[in-house]
Amino acid sequence: MLRSQFEEDLKNLHGKFDQMGQDVNVAISKSVKGFIDHDKSLAKEVIEADEKINMQEQELEKKCFEMIALQQPVTLDLRNIVTIMKASSDLERMGDHAVSIAKSTIRVKGNKRVLEIEEEISDMANHVMNMVSEVLVAYVSTNSEKAIEIAASDRVTNKYFKSIYRHSIRAMQENPETVVVGADYLQVAGFLERIGDYVTNICEWIVYLTTGKISELDLKNFEDSDF
């Protein structure tokens, strides 16, 4: 394989990865909107679109293996390909969590709602989606400093989760009619928190791409875990 062809293939991989990331972000947005609005048709759209995201991840992985076999890349070229493989796997898992949120929407049947908590979930989702958008830009520009900054912002995601957890438990204790929907709030917040963790994983792969070193950017273990 000619060097020029390798660089062109690598550029195409970056483009496909970015498109996959955009599709995942749309899935997150639709899943949360569907949950808040109790819009089951929107939730079903997310579930049906997940097959496309899965196929994108499989195609990226297949092309990466082909390039490794044909070009036998080393150093930075190899790190580029490994980063795409690992980061696209993280994107696929983020899409899975969007599907899980969508499935929560389909299970809900007009249970008593707590609007204040739903507003928090919406705010949390907006923060997570902004993290996804920013990490895609950092990836395309190979900006490790920005990646570290994005990973640090996952603290905000964790704070949202803890707040939603406290408010949901309190609501369920004060009004038994909110037990079912309160459990759904906890689940959805948990899915969003995990998406934030996968964004942090991608940040770590960006740092690996630029430095060749695996860095631990998940600061959750160093934070106070009390709710």
Side-chain angles (χ1 to χ4, degrees):
M1 182 186 294
L2 296 175
R3 178 68 195 180
S4 59
Q5 183 62 52
F6 177 84
E7 291 177 349
E8 183 65 25
D9 287 346
L10 193 59
K11 180 180 178 181
N12 289 336
L13 280 180
H14 287 312
K16 289 179 179 179
F17 175 85
D18 183 62
Q19 182 59 59
M20 182 182 177
Q22 301 295 341
D23 291 342
V24 167
N25 224 7
V26 168
I28 297 169
S29 176
K30 285 185 175 180
S31 66
V32 173
K33 180 173 174 53
F35 180 79
I36 298 298
D37 296 344
H38 290 196
D39 187 338
K40 294 186 179 181
S41 63
L42 194 58
K44 289 177 180 177
E45 283 184 27
V46 174
I47 295 170
E48 291 169 359
D50 190 53
E51 181 62 25
K52 177 186 176 183
I53 291 172
N54 293 339
M55 289 298 297
Q56 286 172 313
E57 194 263 341
Q58 291 172 19
E59 289 173 4
L60 280 169
E61 183 180 66
K62 179 181 177 182
K63 186 61 180 177
C64 285
F65 279 129
E66 286 179 358
M67 291 176 69
I68 291 172
L70 294 174
Q71 185 73 4
Q72 298 181 343
V74 295
T75 60
L76 183 58
D77 288 339
L78 182 59
R79 294 207 303 268
N80 259 296
I81 295 175
V82 169
T83 297
I84 292 171
M85 290 176 65
K86 295 293 188 178
S88 63
S89 178
D90 289 326
L91 285 180
E92 191 274 333
R93 292 187 179 96
M94 290 157 62
D96 287 343
H97 287 313
V99 168
S100 295
I101 295 171
K103 288 180 177 177
S104 296
T105 301
I106 292 174
R107 287 195 301 269
V108 171
K109 293 185 178 179
N111 295 302
K112 184 174 180 62
R113 303 167 64 180
V114 185
L115 297 182
E116 293 81 2
I117 298 176
E118 292 189 356
E119 288 178 3
E120 272 194 292
I121 290 174
S122 180
D123 290 342
M124 182 181 185
N126 285 334
H127 173 72
V128 169
M129 287 186 292
N130 187 57
M131 286 179 67
V132 176
S133 296
E134 289 189 340
V135 82
L136 293 175
V137 173
Y139 173 84
V140 171
S141 59
T142 321
N143 189 335
S144 59
E145 289 184 3
K146 183 63 177 177
I148 293 170
E149 179 184 320
I150 295 165
S153 75
D154 194 41
R155 286 195 182 103
V156 177
T157 310
N158 298 334
K159 287 179 181 178
Y160 272 121
F161 174 76
K162 292 177 182 179
S163 178
I164 292 167
Y165 180 93
R166 289 195 300 268
H167 292 159
S168 297
I169 295 297
R170 186 182 304 129
M172 289 187 284
Q173 289 173 336
E174 294 176 352
N175 187 348
E177 292 183 9
T178 65
V179 168
V180 174
V181 74
D184 281 317
Y185 292 155
L186 292 175
Q187 272 198 325
V188 170
F191 293 137
L192 289 172
E193 190 269 339
R194 289 183 202 117
I195 291 172
D197 290 342
Y198 283 120
V199 172
T200 299
N201 286 354
I202 296 175
C203 290
E204 292 174 355
W205 287 114
I206 294 171
V207 173
Y208 165 75
L209 178 58
T210 57
T211 66
K213 298 178 181 179
I214 301 294
S215 302
E216 179 64 59
L217 299 182
D218 186 352
L219 302 178
K220 187 187 302 180
N221 295 331
F222 303 99
E223 296 177 347
D224 182 3
S225 60
D226 293 335
F227 284 78

